[in-house]
Amino acid sequence: MSDQAHHYAVAREIDLSRVREICDQYRNISPEEALMPVFQGIQEEYGFVNEAACYEVAHQLNLSPTQVYSSLTFYWIYKWRPGGKHRLFLCEGSGCYTTGTTRLRRVVEERLGIGAGETTFDGKITFQPFSTCMGACEWSPLVELDGEFYGFVDEARMNQLIDELNRQEYDAADQLAAPGSDAQYALVAPAPNSGDASTANVAQISERAPSLTEYEAEQTAQSGPQPNSGNADTR
Amino acid sequence: MQGYQPTVLRNKAISGISAIDTYIANGGYEGLKAALTMTPEEVGKVVSDSGLRGRGGAGFPTGRKWSFLPPQNTNPRPRYLCVNADESEPGTFHDRELIEQNPHQAIEGILITCYATNIARAFIYIRGEMKRGAVMLEQAIAEARAHGFIGDNILGSGYGVEIVVHRGAGAYICGEESALLESLEGKRGYPRLRPPFPAVSGLYASPTVINNIGTLAHVPPIVRHGADWFKQFGTAKTPGPMIYSISGHIERPGNYETPGGYTMNQLIALAGGVRGGRKLKAFIPGGSSAAILPADQADLVMDFDSCTAAGSMLGSSAVIVMDETTCMVGAALRMSEFYREESCGKCTPCREGTYWLVQILERLEHGEGRMEDIDLVASVATNIAGKSFCLLGDSAAPCIVSGIKHWRAEYEAHVTQHGCPFRQH
């Protein structure tokens, strides 16, 4: 959750004039080749693609809508409905499985009250565990939150990450809301064994969990890379 | 290992090598300069002589792959190079480290390959999940272009190459070479029927070379130092240094570049031993597509031929270590779920078979299995392998077949105890 973290706009509609602009960036390559980059652009900007965008792209690139639709439905990165503002991925590949993702999944499901591929009802957090390996098994078990990798996650760290999301999303709302209004109550359940949630949580996580990039930078600055000894040595 | 300097993952020895100035200061692009003084045929011969084998999984000799291109007077269509950076085999992460930390070596390898095969346009197909890697590659290409290594007239030789980075959108099957071509053409990532092979009719029906990005990163040092230098590393049939991605129950998971010829025991020692001082139970030598081997085979030399002889395969050299707390049924279930998700659905044995593997294994893992399920799941697995359209189906079987072969008692315990003996509640 650094400054570069990517938060998705919570949009329900895709602006077709923006789709045309994205298509215009890829006029110099063949339409078939442009299909993937165009839809990646839409997906990254809106967090989803829809049928209207599909027709518009087909029209702009002079391809048949069937061809566009057939390609798009094949790849999992393209979502067909809007997701939450925050995306929480849990890698469940073979490497992460051996180091204990089953327990992490239970933590998320219990605390957010949502299952695989679901979004909290207020549209804040989407949870997506997937068996496809993320290719970062050296940090397993691995969690990706808003495009940032978090490695060696155990149950405590998972709780910490959810606490922080909770604080980011709902504490601000608390200050604005009048006592008794709905917004006062955090949707996300407090961590078990954290005592009085409202105060204990904040104290407990005042030092927030560093993300892998920050962690690595810090470690490198301290020790410098070790010659040929496996990058895990430095942490 | 003492005194061995990595030649591919050089970022482990030299910090900041992802920047072009550091790379050039440490002998970067010398291989390209050396190649440009030779004829393309000579470059191809050096790589053939070195015995470099594809690091993506199949272990096919790289030089031979290049030689399959039809002569240009018989096929005048433009030629393409497709670089496979769609690394999604569970357990594999050396290409990601290469791309993010030492991208220029990959680019130099691509440029030399293009020169040797007389190709003017290269595509790097990078998996959609590696967004950071794609950004790093784009940056590195821009830097290389500014230094005159990419463009119409490379270093005044009159020879020109363009490199395009193409991001995938999340599909394991696109690592299969013909599915990669389909995906590059903007279609569903379905594998193609062969022949015709890509060398004859690949991308846009043109002659196409497809190489793994990790393989091509070995090319610059080969061209610079010669084939004999390369052959001093590794074993006779798998020359050259080997990079292993070690993950799972290990003290220091990560990528380890070795001079080759290491045994599994040596690799475990190199990575700090099994996590928590526990006992080794099993290991996978080459990602989830390879058969699981029991701990008593840990003196196996980790090269292509030894692993095949032991009934497994080196594949993408992704070593997954499992200690005594690992449930083999659970692990097989997790891997089968992966293949069910990633099966493209083109052919029936793979599409239906992987689905049923998951159903039966789930039943076993949750204590609802019957004794005959063990043979049933083995039979389904062997009926996928060899009968599916591409290698994805073949990859789904080994983890189950080998699991039942070596740990049948554990499968039976799941039935008799009505649940997983390893589950901690």
Side-chain angles (χ1 to χ4, degrees), chain B residues 253-271:
Chain B
N255 290 313
Y256 291 86
E257 185 173 333
T258 69
Y262 271 51
T263 65
M264 186 61 208
N265 278 329
Q266 282 174 304
L267 282 182
I268 291 177
L270 189 62

Side-chain angles (χ1 to χ4, degrees), chain A residues 6 29-30 32-37 40 44 67 69-78 92-95 97-103 105-106 130-141 144 149 152 213 216 220 225-233 235, chain B residues 1 4 6 12-13 15 88-93 96-97 121 123 125 127-129 131-132 166-171 173-174 183-190 204 247-249 252-257 275 288 320 322 326-327 330-331 334-335 337-338 341-342 344:
Chain A
H6 183 232
I29 54 177
S30 78
E32 288 89 358
E33 219 181 298
L35 199 56
M36 292 285 143
Q40 268 154 5
E44 256 153 44
Q67 190 188 340
Y69 191 81
S70 111
S71 294
L72 287 187
T73 46
F74 187 79
Y75 302 95
W76 76 260
I77 277 190
Y78 308 122
E92 292 190 332
S94 322
Y97 166 77
T98 54
T99 44
T101 49
T102 323
R103 278 166 297 179
R105 185 162 170 173
R106 216 173 295 151
F130 61 101
S131 48
T132 311
C133 179
M134 291 211 219
C137 319
E138 76 241 66
W139 299 317
S140 60
E144 187 190 325
F149 280 174
F152 308 114
T213 2
E216 265 186 338
T220 321
Q226 303 289 316
N228 191 42
S229 50
N231 50 7
D233 263 6
R235 69 178 76 89
Chain B
M1 194 72 195
Y4 173 74
K12 288 197 188 300
S15 66
S88 10
E89 173 85 17
T92 320
F93 44 92
R96 184 180 49 75
E97 179 164 348
R121 198 169 170 83
F123 292 91
Y125 188 97
R127 75 182 287 207
E129 289 89 334
K131 197 181 167 192
R132 187 170 158 207
H166 187 97
R167 281 180 62 202
I173 185 68
C174 292
S183 180
L184 253 178
E185 291 178 14
K187 300 180 197 147
R188 291 173 83 88
Y190 281 163
Y204 302 116
S247 65
H249 290 134
R252 296 198 302 266
N255 290 313
Y256 291 86
E257 185 173 333
R275 193 173 284 184
S288 66
I320 302 175
M322 299 171 173
T326 318
C327 167
R334 172 61 55 214
M335 292 177 206
E337 278 179 322
F338 169 75
E341 288 297 314
E342 295 297 340
C344 73

Side-chain angles (χ1 to χ4, degrees), chain B residues 112-414:
Chain B
I112 296 173
T113 307
C114 286
Y115 179 73
T117 49
N118 203 3
I119 288 172
R121 198 169 170 83
F123 292 91
I124 305 177
Y125 188 97
I126 184 166
R127 75 182 287 207
E129 289 89 334
M130 282 201 243
K131 197 181 167 192
R132 187 170 158 207
V135 173
M136 295 292 291
L137 272 180
E138 297 268 16
Q139 253 176 29
I141 289 173
E143 282 176 353
R145 192 186 301 276
H147 279 72
F149 297 123
I150 302 176
D152 293 334
N153 185 6
I154 296 175
L155 301 173
S157 65
Y159 180 73
V161 178
E162 280 304 322
I163 302 181
V164 180
V165 177
H166 187 97
R167 281 180 62 202
Y172 171 68
I173 185 68
C174 292
E176 203 276 344
E177 55 178 22
S178 60
L180 185 148
L181 298 177
E182 290 281 301
S183 180
L184 253 178
E185 291 178 14
K187 300 180 197 147
R188 291 173 83 88
Y190 281 163
R192 289 178 186 170
L193 188 64
R194 280 165 291 180
F197 288 95
V200 179
S201 172
L203 187 65
Y204 302 116
S206 297
T208 306
V209 178
I210 306 167
N211 277 131
N212 188 275
I213 194 160
T215 315
L216 295 187
H218 286 75
V219 172
I222 292 175
V223 173
R224 195 171 156 214
H225 303 295
D228 291 328
W229 168 85
F230 190 71
K231 278 198 263 190
Q232 65 171 313
F233 302 114
T235 52
K237 287 189 172 166
T238 311
M242 281 301 297
I243 302 168
Y244 299 97
S245 305
I246 308 179
S247 65
H249 290 134
I250 194 83
E251 276 295 337
R252 296 198 302 266
N255 290 313
Y256 291 86
E257 185 173 333
T258 69
Y262 271 51
T263 65
M264 186 61 208
N265 278 329
Q266 282 174 304
L267 282 182
I268 291 177
L270 189 62
V274 179
R275 193 173 284 184
R278 287 196 288 261
K279 246 178 72 190
L280 177 71
K281 177 179 184 178
F283 64 97
I284 313 180
S288 66
S289 305
I292 310 172
L293 294 176
D296 55 19
Q297 293 197 30
D299 52 356
L300 178 73
V301 177
M302 300 287 281
D303 65 10
F304 286 108
D305 300 286
S306 313
C307 286
T308 312
S312 187
M313 66 169 194
L314 184 62
S316 51
S317 63
V319 181
I320 302 175
V321 178
M322 299 171 173
D323 72 10
E324 54 206 341
T325 61
T326 318
C327 167
M328 300 320 276
V329 182
L333 170 64
R334 172 61 55 214
M335 292 177 206
S336 300
E337 278 179 322
F338 169 75
Y339 290 108
R340 182 191 60 180
E341 288 297 314
E342 295 297 340
S343 174
C344 73
K346 177 164 178 155
C347 72
T348 317
C350 176
R351 182 185 63 229
E352 300 296 317
T354 48
Y355 173 82
W356 280 106
L357 287 180
V358 173
Q359 296 283 310
I360 304 168
L361 285 171
E362 224 160 39
R363 199 155 77 196
L364 281 167
E365 173 72 4
H366 295 124
E368 290 150 15
R370 301 177 292 250
M371 247 347 156
E372 57 268 31
D373 280 348
I374 301 172
D375 288 325
L376 180 64
V377 76
S379 136
V380 173
T382 44
N383 273 303
I384 302 172
K387 296 176 180 67
S388 51
F389 193 84
C390 74
L391 280 170
L392 193 143
D394 297 352
S395 311
C399 63
I400 294 165
V401 176
S402 61
I404 294 178
K405 184 175 152 202
H406 298 294
W407 293 278
R408 196 180 178 95
E410 203 170 290
Y411 276 76
E412 284 168 357
H414 276 75

